[in-house]
Amino acid sequence: MADHQEKVPVSSSQAPSSSSLTPTTTPIAEELWLFAEERAQEILFAIQPMYLSERSRNEIINHLQTLMWERLGIEVFLFGSVPLKTYLPDGDIDLTVLTPYGMEENCAKALRNILEAERGESDFQVTDVQYIHAQVKVIKCTIRNVALDISFNQMAGLSALCFLEKVDRAFGRDHLFKRSIILIKAWCFYESRILGANSGLISTYALAILVLNIVNMSYSSVSGPLAVLYKFMDFYGSFDWENYCITVTGLVPISSFPDITETRNHEVFLDEKFFRECIESYSGPANVVEANRKYFPVKHYNILDPLKHSNNLGRSVSEGNAIRLRHCFRRGAQKLRDVLTFPGETVGWKLENFFGNSLDRNGKGQRQDVEEPVIPFGTGKADYSNLRGDFDGYFLCFIYGKWFHGESLHNWIPQGLDIRSWETVRWFMTRRRNFFNGRNLDGGSTSTSMPNKRKSKGTGTYIPEMGQQSYTGRSSSKPSTVTSLPSASQTHRCKKNPQTHKCKKDPQTHRCKKNPQTHQCKKNP
């Protein structure tokens, strides 16, 4: 083992090709890498999803899904880092509401009214409700110290979730891809403060694609997430962003656009056939704005969206921040290179210093997204964390979104099966996988004897009971147009004594807070 050495570069390469991912000077011994990777995994245990954080976020998600279903009859789906299980303790929850195109604003206002009416009305402590009235409308709020972003008709988010989960399973190796995303995201967010599209920096989805590129081009040579982090910083710190674009299968000269087939790297683990199949399976519907974008917009950072080639994932990076990012990558690579030159145990505590902010924030027995104490870093113990996502559930939600917006499902359903309602789709998917059996927070099965009860799947994936009528008119093959939505007064819950006070609000929306087994509520018969 001592004779074999891990092929990881220890100096930056100026050429934007596969050679920048191979050693240019003396490589670092494999034994040292294995020791450093073990310590990196201990750091990961302090910041990656854990049972308590999963339970807390599931409760928030299920509460919102139940609230939206009961008050508005709308489905709320989960996407982003939470279902992918690559979120940080400070990460937000991304949800999207399905509503007929053109009704996003009406739905957003109704949703804002409901959330504002929820303040102090439940144990979920809804605060900081904001309605971002922009081209992409978003409702922001905070529940139990966790930020939430609620968007509308984000089919691209649902398709990206399916895609990234598929990639992680293809790479395997105990979720090497996801663990690398978490470690690199922690370094970007806690140590370097270079994450966030709203601040002119890099988005989390763009970061995931950059990580995908590194893993795909150096799959056989990396020992774990720490090696991926090192190659990430070393490669992108010296990358020629002015002349080349990053794709998942290699580098494309910007001068060759719109032709993106001329890549500078062909030695990849996942080939073009894999990604072409992903495009066919997970590409969401294009709205009017996206349909008009026939070209790739060249920016300061150019990262090709593998599911939509006209989308530049690096478009959020400003000119000044592009320089800042490159400097941070170079500096990070140099610091980590210095850490890996120390022998034995010294590497361990040097690596802890390298992730000092991450551990100071999350390694002292507390997490932002968990109310209970957690196992502190350095005790030799860790909570079990399962990073495997619910791919079938994500894909089914994506299919439902297509059906909701009137798209044909014949690409996903066997030929000859009559598709006239969501019930048919659900029947078929149930036969393929017993997906509609409920799961509790511990991963066990729950009773399925109540068909009208909502079912939550894993990290909040919700499969709607289409037999119930909602404001979208589910009895038809396509959603009908919404003319009105409930106001805040129609979602009021009176707290006064029902024996001495007659509430004038809508009794049909009242939910008694007392124990239904020992108390008979007189408000809502």
Side-chain angles (χ1 to χ4, degrees), residues 43 186-187 190-191 335 349-364:
I43 296 172
W187 179 81
Y190 294 117
E191 311 303 329
K335 288 179 65 175
W349 65 265
K350 285 284 186 180
L351 197 57
E352 293 173 20
N353 290 337
F354 185 79
F355 286 98
N357 293 334
S358 303
L359 293 176
D360 186 62
R361 175 75 170 170
N362 307 296
K364 297 183 177 181

Side-chain angles (χ1 to χ4, degrees), residues 7-19:
K7 294 183 179 180
V8 174
V10 291
S11 66
S12 297
S13 171
Q14 299 300 321
S17 66
S18 61
S19 61

